[in-house]
């Protein structure tokens, strides 16, 4: 049915590529292109022999001309950007120049400022419309499935959604005192930033990890979770009409937080360049180099993730609540695709998003967040491709008190 050019060959890309190969009816051909071609070749060797034709290429995704040349050579129906958020705009530029559909799993973040927002990518909307191509932003789990869950809740269970709490729980244990489950640089930038949530039409900023709650997660148990800013808050606050409040909570263990605080205190999480032995280095990038590679955590990680959304709102004038979530087992993921659940829960939705576009279910010219498309075929695909979801119609809420009205 189609051909995908996949850029990046790290943790998330590896899962997405395994899933594309399992879904050879849709992904007849894939080209894996990344900075380090040997990783692409190793994955090709592991997966070759099935129905999907696999090729590989070297590309520097910071370089628009190189990307254009590669897209012109491969002629894909879609470019799946599974590299880093820093490459979003260069890849979108190359897609525009070649009139090729685009998908990613994280919004653009300039490398020198730890500030991610959709503004840069939303600015491409008109140009994508004029070129007649689709950009699907944020087709991972969060962002990604959390947006699909929100669109599904609104379509089937609510006339109006008042509050959304997104709960991201990782009950996995890799046995290291400190390691990050995905790219350490991206992960640490995210958790060391101020928290922020949206209430009554405005953003409320908190200090990092200032707001803590305890929640008892299905199949995982009780965990401490902290309010963080997360990118889907921005698009959902815009795309879910009538929303009064949206927050995002992520679980962290005490050991993780103590290590992080210590690293922060000694300056290791800084992105300001420093001079070291005559060379400019960025402390956070150096830290990334000494931490365990997330790709190596797979065989060591036990336990489960539980990620979902709790909604409160009204249907036919009656108040109701609804919780939809997925539980994913680290060891089962490793057995299936050789990666732990954090990469798995992102790589599977990346494949599904691309499948929605290649099968023509989700095609409209412009730049869109995932909740702007019909959630039903995506929800069905989650059950089929390894991320089944569960529903609870009387969930325990994170807070029992209602949202305060603006004075
Ligand atoms: P990794 O660091 O494991 O992989 C990144 C890959 O991109 C590597 O193969 C790397 O190449 C490649 N790459 C980096 N820079 C370039 C470049 N300039 N040109 C070409 N290739 C490049 O990251 P993850 O797989 O963990 O994450 C991938 C994406 O998924 C990130 O954007 C991340 O933010 C996002 N993500 C989204 C989630 C969601 O739920 N929505 C959850 C988790 C992650 P090399 O091997 O040479 O380093």
């Amino acid at each position: 049915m189609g051909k995908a050019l996949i850029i990046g060959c790290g943790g998330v890309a590896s899962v997405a590529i395994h899933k594309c190969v399992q879904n050879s009816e849709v992904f007849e051909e894939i080209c894996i292109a990344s900075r380090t071609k040997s990783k692409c070749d190793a994955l090709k060797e592991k997966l070759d022999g099935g129905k999907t034709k696999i090729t590989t290429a070297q590309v520097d995704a910071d370089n628009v001309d190189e990307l254009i040349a590669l897209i012109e050579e491969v002629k894909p129906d879609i470019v799946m950007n599974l590299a880093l958020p820093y490459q979003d705009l260069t890849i979108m530029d190359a897609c525009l120049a070649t009139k090729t559909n685009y998908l990613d799993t994280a919004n653009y973040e300039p490398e020198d400022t730890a500030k991610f927002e959709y503004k840069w990518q939303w600015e491409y909307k008109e140009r994508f419309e004029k070129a007649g191509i689709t950009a699907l932003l944020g087709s991972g789990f969060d962002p990604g499935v959390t947006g699909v869950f929100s669109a599904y809740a609104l379509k089937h269970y609510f006339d109006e959604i008042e509050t959304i709490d997104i709960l991201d729980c990782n009950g996995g244990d890799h046995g290291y005192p400190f390691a990050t489950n995905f790219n350490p640089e991206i992960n640490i930038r995210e958790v060391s930033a101020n928290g922020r949530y949206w209430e009554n039409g405005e953003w409320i900023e908190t200090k990092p990890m200032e707001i803590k709650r305890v929640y008892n997660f299905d199949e995982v148990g009780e965990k401490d979770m902290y309010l963080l800013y997360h990118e889907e808050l921005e698009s959902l606050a815009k795309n879910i009409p009538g929303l009064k409040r949206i927050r995002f909570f992520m679980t962290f263990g005490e050991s993780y937080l103590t290590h992080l605080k210590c690293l922060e205190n000694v300056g290791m999480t800084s992105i300001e360049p420093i001079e070291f032995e005559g060379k400019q280095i960025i402390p956070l990038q150096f830290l990334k180099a000494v931490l365990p590679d997330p790709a190596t955590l797979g065989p060591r990680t036990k336990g489960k993730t539980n990620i979902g959304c709790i909604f409160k709102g009204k249907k036919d004038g009656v108040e109701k609540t609804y919780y939809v979530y997925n539980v994913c087992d680290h060891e089962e993921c490793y057995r299936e695709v050789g990666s732990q659940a954090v990469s798995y829960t992102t790589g599977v939705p990346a494949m599904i998003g691309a499948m929605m576009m290649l099968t023509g279910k989700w095609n409209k010219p412009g730049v869109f967040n995932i909740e702007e498309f019909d959630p039903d075929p995506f929800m069905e695909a989650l059950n089929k491709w390894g991320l089944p979801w569960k529903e609870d119609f009387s969930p325990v809420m994170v807070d029992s008190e209602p949202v305060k009205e603006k004075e």
Side-chain angles (χ1 to χ4, degrees):
M1 188 172 286
K3 189 198 271 191
L5 168 60
I6 299 168
I7 300 183
C9 193
V12 171
S14 164
V15 174
I17 292 161
H18 274 84
K19 286 289 170 178
C20 290
V21 170
Q22 285 178 16
N23 191 1
S24 58
E25 240 174 69
V26 172
F27 296 87
E28 285 169 330
E29 227 179 304
I30 57 172
C31 173
I32 315 169
S34 192
R35 187 166 52 190
T36 315
K37 186 169 174 281
S38 55
K39 289 191 192 169
C40 312
D41 291 334
L43 196 56
K44 171 179 156 63
E45 199 174 310
K46 181 177 170 202
L47 294 174
D48 252 346
K51 285 199 188 132
T52 303
K53 181 179 168 211
I54 307 173
T55 57
T56 61
Q58 201 278 327
V59 74
D60 173 6
D62 291 319
N63 183 322
V64 180
D65 292 335
E66 259 189 48
L67 286 165
I68 292 175
L70 178 65
I71 296 173
E72 279 173 348
E73 188 196 321
V74 175
K75 296 189 177 51
D77 302 298
I78 184 171
V79 173
M80 297 168 65
N81 167 14
L82 304 178
L84 296 177
Y86 317 132
Q87 280 87 46
D88 287 5
L89 301 188
T90 44
I91 299 177
M92 286 178 85
D93 283 333
C95 283
L96 266 177
T98 55
K99 293 198 169 29
T100 312
N101 294 314
Y102 169 89
L103 168 150
D104 66 31
T105 63
N107 69 5
Y108 175 67
E109 182 172 346
E111 206 158 352
D112 55 357
T113 12
K115 183 168 175 55
F116 47 89
E117 55 183 316
Y118 278 116
K119 118 181 143 192
W120 291 286
Q121 290 180 277
W122 284 345
E123 269 170 16
Y124 282 70
K125 192 170 182 76
E126 226 173 87
R127 279 174 283 162
F128 269 67
E129 272 167 14
K130 280 203 186 112
I133 51 173
T134 309
L136 172 60
L137 308 184
S139 191
F141 206 106
D142 43 346
V145 177
T146 52
V148 175
F149 282 169
S150 301
Y152 185 77
L154 188 63
K155 181 172 175 182
H156 296 284
Y157 297 122
F158 293 94
D159 294 326
E160 199 182 300
I161 294 177
E162 205 174 282
T163 67
I164 305 177
D165 279 330
I166 301 169
L167 271 46
D168 180 335
C169 162
N170 183 1
D173 182 7
H174 45 58
Y176 286 117
F178 185 81
T180 62
N181 291 296
F182 66 99
N183 187 294
E185 198 185 327
I186 307 291
N187 184 218
I188 290 172
R189 280 163 74 120
E190 182 175 273
V191 301
S192 52
N194 278 344
R196 198 164 13 138
Y197 64 101
W198 194 82
E199 188 169 85
N200 289 320
E202 53 191 64
W203 291 103
I204 299 171
E205 192 145 304
T206 69
K207 295 203 185 69
M209 311 288 169
E210 185 185 332
I211 298 184
K212 176 186 168 185
R213 296 284 187 273
V214 179
Y215 199 83
N216 194 355
F217 290 91
D218 184 27
E219 295 191 47
V220 176
E222 208 167 81
K223 292 272 167 200
D224 293 343
M225 59 182 193
Y226 297 83
L227 187 142
L228 294 187
Y229 178 64
H230 221 241
E231 60 199 61
E232 67 265 51
L233 301 185
E234 185 186 8
S235 72
L236 289 168
K238 176 171 163 248
N239 290 327
I240 302 292
L243 195 63
K244 283 194 184 153
R245 186 182 70 202
I246 179 162
R247 305 181 296 186
F248 181 96
F249 291 91
M250 193 178 269
T251 63
F252 294 103
E254 238 177 81
S255 165
Y256 180 93
L257 292 180
T258 312
H259 278 81
L260 190 63
K261 188 92 246 145
C262 177
L263 291 166
E264 241 169 36
N265 286 344
V266 298
M268 281 307 296
T269 59
S270 166
I271 58 168
E272 290 298 321
I274 56 154
E275 181 97 3
F276 179 73
E277 294 187 343
K279 213 177 158 226
Q280 291 268 313
I281 63 160
I282 293 172
L284 181 55
Q285 287 178 359
F286 178 77
L287 176 62
K288 177 184 175 209
V290 296
L291 284 175
D293 178 351
T296 63
L297 299 179
R300 312 171 49 105
T301 309
K302 296 179 173 33
K304 292 175 182 177
T305 61
N306 175 329
I307 321 175
C309 305
I310 303 180
F311 304 93
K312 184 166 158 266
K314 286 201 179 92
K315 179 82 180 172
D316 301 324
V318 179
E319 286 230 335
K320 67 182 287 186
T321 56
Y322 171 61
Y323 186 14
V324 54
Y325 58 92
N326 161 264
V327 175
C328 194
D329 185 305
H330 286 290
E331 287 174 286
E332 271 174 31
C333 295
Y334 190 74
R335 270 195 295 277
E336 185 195 327
V337 298
S339 302
Q340 33 79 357
V342 176
S343 300
Y344 191 90
T345 51
T346 312
V348 172
M351 179 284 284
I352 295 175
M355 173 170 80
M356 293 295 114
M357 292 163 79
L358 287 174
T359 53
K361 291 191 172 76
W362 279 14
N363 278 339
K364 47 185 176 182
V367 174
F368 299 96
N369 291 92
I370 202 160
E371 63 273 14
E372 294 178 84
F373 289 98
D374 178 11
D376 292 355
F378 199 106
M379 290 293 274
E380 205 181 300
L382 284 171
N383 283 333
K384 178 165 178 200
W385 293 101
L387 294 176
W389 36 277
K390 288 188 179 181
E391 297 177 304
D392 182 346
F393 291 89
S394 57
V396 174
M397 303 302 280
V398 173
D399 297 303
S400 44
E401 70 271 20
V403 178
K404 282 190 256 45
E405 292 294 337
K406 212 170 168 178
E407 282 151 28

